[in-house]
Amino acid sequence: MVDCCEGDTFKLVQDYYGKVLENSGNLKTSACTAASAPPPRIRQILGKIPGEVLEKFYGCGAPLPEGIQGLRVLDLGSGSGRDCYAAAALVGESGTVTGVDMTSEQLEVAERHASDFCKEQLGYKQSNMRFVKGHIEFLDKAGIQDDSLDIIISNCVVNLSPDKHRVLSEAYRVLAAGGEMYFSDVYSDRRMPKEAQEHEVLWGECISGALYTGDFKAICHQVGFADPRQISINEITIQDPELKSITGNARFFSITYRLFKVPGMLEPACEDYGQFAIYKGTIPGQKHAYQLDDGHNFVTGKPVLVCGNSAAMVGEQGKSWLSRHFQVTGDRSVHYGAFPCGLATAPSPSAAKPSAVGGSCCG
Ligand SMILES: C[S@@+](CC[C@H](N)C(=O)[O-])C[C@H]1O[C@@H](n2cnc3c(N)ncnc32)[C@H](O)[C@@H]1O
């Protein structure tokens, strides 16, 4: 358990992102720039974002879900604000975006361009973004209320926290029922040795704070995110021989996970109730198919057999934010046994699943 809001780790990270780094060109490893190219519609939005915001982007993914018009988004560790600016466009003028970060220098950049971006680039009457100074382990102290957000995003931040359990538990608290944490971070295929964890550059550059995927999944289960789903994965390589000698045989990955908060509906394993789901084709940029995770690609209009957990995530009883985009048929009155994961839906062509960390479905 960490104390708010002091401690060597917080200080190290604040100095690294507030003072040491001027832009992504100063990084010593590729972890904070491991993001693969976002989809075309997101790239179009990113093209409108001010240069200063983009130069200080240190994310390892593109955790920007589509189809979120009118929703309330929170970005944990928003940095100079790139993903908040993109989310501001995705939620439209009726949605809101809140960025939380503990580093003043990063927040200043994010705040500087927000109003002009919303008015001039998006044509809004006023900014729908706000930025709050705070620690993601202590969202209560930053004034973020219980059940007050629909979507939480985060990009290469949770690994920097000295208390990941607390971060995920706070995320669960502030999400409304039916909401989702959709976030990219760095993970490893094993627990880091003490020497690596104490190395300032390795920690600052999002390597040695990386959670072992097995520990990450255990924390998810403990805090209520019972069935973490992986949507994309890219391996990160460390080129620097000195840094590599400290991390040894460990492998690192930038992974985007989806964690749904659907209280009382997620089970420890995939169960078959004979339910099926149809994607309506209503998400911008995803007219013909929708990828829920690396094992579920819903072709528009085609009924797909799903386990109880997947049914809950895409909107069983209208209880997920995705329910506006799906029709789910069937209830849980009859149980047909264990659900044959991986048989009912084809993986999307883009799904990559290195065996070192495994895929996502049900567990
Ligand atoms: C690698 S940068 C990523 C920034 C941003 N998400 C992006 O994609 O550009 C990490 C950011 O997280 C912030 N951060 C790290 N640990 C934090 C914590 N415990 N609470 C709040 N902010 C934190 C840092 O200040 C920094 O701005």
Side-chain angles (χ1 to χ4, degrees):
M1 171 75 76
V2 287
D3 286 331
C4 186
C5 296
E6 29 193 70
D8 293 347
T9 308
F10 291 141
K11 174 98 181 54
L12 184 159
V13 172
Q14 274 169 321
D15 284 350
Y16 209 71
Y17 288 95
K19 300 189 170 63
V20 176
L21 293 178
E22 279 168 24
N23 55 55
S24 55
N26 304 136
L27 292 163
K28 292 194 166 50
T29 72
S30 65
C32 297
T33 50
S36 46
R41 218 179 83 88
I42 302 283
R43 284 209 298 275
Q44 215 177 23
I45 296 169
L46 297 180
K48 297 179 180 175
I49 296 177
E52 190 186 16
V53 169
L54 296 177
E55 280 159 25
K56 289 181 182 291
F57 168 66
Y58 303 119
C60 58
L64 295 164
E66 291 262 26
I68 58 172
Q69 294 89 339
L71 299 188
R72 301 160 295 176
V73 174
L74 172 69
D75 184 358
L76 299 182
S78 45
S80 63
R82 187 199 80 156
D83 291 342
C84 289
Y85 282 55
L90 296 175
V91 296
E93 203 162 4
S94 61
T96 60
V97 180
T98 303
V100 173
D101 202 287
M102 66 178 181
T103 305
S104 305
E105 292 86 344
Q106 293 275 75
L107 286 165
E108 280 161 21
V109 176
E111 275 164 349
R112 188 147 49 233
H113 307 278
S115 177
D116 284 354
F117 173 76
C118 286
K119 288 183 191 161
E120 290 164 20
Q121 299 294 339
L122 303 180
Y124 298 171
K125 284 203 183 71
Q126 59 188 31
S127 173
N128 61 352
M129 283 185 265
R130 70 182 183 117
F131 293 95
V132 179
K133 185 161 183 179
H135 289 72
I136 59 175
E137 299 80 0
F138 301 95
L139 293 174
D140 49 345
K141 294 203 163 50
I144 312 289
Q145 309 288 323
D146 293 2
D147 310 318
S148 61
L149 281 315
D150 303 301
I151 306 284
I152 294 179
I153 58 174
S154 183
N155 204 343
C156 217
V157 178
V158 179
N159 69 84
L160 293 166
S161 171
D163 191 343
K164 278 90 165 156
H165 188 285
R166 202 175 160 109
V167 173
L168 289 169
S169 156
E170 274 290 87
Y172 193 86
R173 177 184 69 78
V174 303
L175 267 182
E180 177 188 0
M181 180 162 177
Y182 185 118
F183 75 118
S184 306
D185 221 295
V186 179
Y187 296 87
S188 57
D189 68 346
R190 65 201 67 195
R191 296 178 183 135
M192 285 297 103
K194 199 159 179 286
E195 185 194 1
Q197 291 195 37
E198 286 170 354
H199 195 283
E200 294 192 358
V201 172
L202 280 173
W203 190 280
E205 299 230 350
C206 303
I207 299 286
S208 57
L211 266 178
Y212 162 50
T213 47
D215 289 340
F216 166 69
K217 288 176 186 173
I219 295 175
C220 287
H221 283 265
Q222 285 158 17
V223 305
F225 291 124
D227 185 358
R229 298 289 177 98
Q230 177 181 301
I231 183 159
S232 67
I233 177 164
N234 289 307
E235 186 153 6
I236 295 163
T237 49
I238 299 175
Q239 305 294 355
D240 184 293
E242 190 197 325
L243 299 181
K244 179 90 189 109
S245 75
I246 299 167
T247 56
N249 293 320
R251 292 172 68 194
F252 299 92
F253 303 88
S254 161
I255 305 180
T256 300
Y257 277 111
R258 309 187 69 165
L259 311 178
F260 286 85
K261 176 173 174 178
V262 275
M265 296 181 84
L266 297 182
E267 300 180 270
C270 289
E271 303 295 346
D272 187 355
Y273 299 101
Q275 295 165 294
F276 61 93
I278 300 175
Y279 170 52
K280 298 178 185 168
T282 43
I283 295 185
Q286 291 158 64
K287 187 173 164 198
H288 302 294
Y290 180 74
Q291 190 186 349
L292 175 67
D293 56 43
D294 61 4
H296 295 84
N297 191 46
F298 292 87
V299 172
T300 301
K302 183 179 175 190
V304 174
L305 275 175
V306 287
C307 70
N309 285 1
S310 295
M313 290 174 196
V314 299
E316 181 185 2
Q317 296 175 28
K319 289 190 175 168
S320 153
W321 76 269
L322 271 172
S323 59
R324 59 169 90 173
H325 301 296
F326 280 84
Q327 181 192 322
V328 180
T329 303
D331 56 30
R332 302 187 184 206
S333 52
V334 181
H335 181 224
Y336 297 97
F339 187 86
C341 288
L343 294 182
T345 59
S348 90
S350 63
K353 217 188 273 187
S355 58
V357 288
S360 60
C361 191
C362 298

